Amino acid sequence: DLDDMPCPGPYDHKTGCSGPDMCMPMSYMGMNGTECPQSCPMTCGPEEMLCPGPYDYYSGCNGPEMCMPMTYPGNDYNQCPSNCPISCGPEEMMCPGDHNPTTGCSAPEYCVQASYPGIDGNTCYANCPVSCGPEEMVCPGMYDYTTGCNGPDMCMPMTYPGKDFNQCPNYCYANCSPDSVNCPGPYDEATGCNGPEMCISQADFDANGCPNM
């Protein structure tokens, strides 16, 4: 058939033999009348995995399949399982999977909504979640009270050095509203540690200033 194309038969890596060739349509219909080019099936090796080709959400076409190694080297001779690439939609963004600093392996990528509604019709752009180390903590991104948008999350050390080799607990930043004031937390002279920041009203600040100051 003039509308077909020849594709090689599947290859058996153990025996070195190939299966019979096959005929496949040269194209297929995607979205909105788009004619998508066909790709021959892939035959992957024994230490490879078959991954689907990237999907085009505008045309409805798939890219050619691909072979990827089943594992990749992590930390301390650890072998990490591979993950196939993903295709996110036109209103999504791709985020990397969590990274494990102990093994050196990463979880699969994933898709999140690229934007979300803020205040007064404002459009906020999303941020990928952060992956913090074992001695870090996740702190929420700063909230913009004007737009209704959140900044990206951040990683902060869980402790910091105080006096006499004391390790002080860390705290996330206070995100105060426009009608309040950010005040530092109380300071402990004995340990050299600061308490968490606090938000106090503008009226209280005007009358008394920050507490513990």
Side-chain angles (χ1 to χ4, degrees), residues 28-42:
Y28 60 93
M29 294 305 297
M31 295 190 300
N32 303 319
T34 302
E35 188 172 357
C36 302
Q38 185 73 268
S39 301
C40 290
M42 292 288 295

Side-chain angles (χ1 to χ4, degrees), residues 66-186:
M66 63 192 88
C67 295
M68 292 185 62
M70 295 186 71
T71 61
Y72 61 93
N75 296 336
D76 299 327
Y77 305 102
N78 184 59
Q79 286 296 308
C80 303
S82 295
N83 303 293
C84 289
I86 61 170
S87 299
C88 296
E91 297 182 359
E92 296 178 318
M93 59 185 283
M94 184 177 67
C95 288
D98 285 346
H99 179 72
N100 188 323
T102 303
T103 62
C105 301
S106 294
E109 299 168 335
Y110 57 100
C111 301
V112 300
Q113 286 296 118
S115 62
Y116 59 94
I119 296 173
D120 298 330
N122 187 65
T123 298
C124 302
Y125 295 101
N127 302 287
C128 289
V130 298
S131 180
C132 299
E135 296 183 1
E136 295 178 318
M137 61 182 181
V138 179
C139 285
M142 303 301 280
Y143 178 74
D144 189 323
Y145 287 87
T146 303
T147 62
C149 301
N150 287 296
D153 294 342
M154 63 194 87
C155 296
M156 292 185 64
M158 296 184 72
T159 61
Y160 63 92
K163 290 182 178 179
D164 300 327
F165 305 103
N166 184 60
Q167 285 296 307
C168 302
N170 215 352
Y171 301 97
C172 294
Y173 298 116
N175 194 181
C176 301
S177 64
D179 58 355
S180 61
V181 177
N182 186 319
C183 286

Side-chain angles (χ1 to χ4, degrees), residues 197-208:
E197 296 176 342
M198 63 191 80
C199 299
I200 66 170
S201 69
Q202 185 68 54
D204 287 343
F205 177 79
D206 291 341
N208 305 304

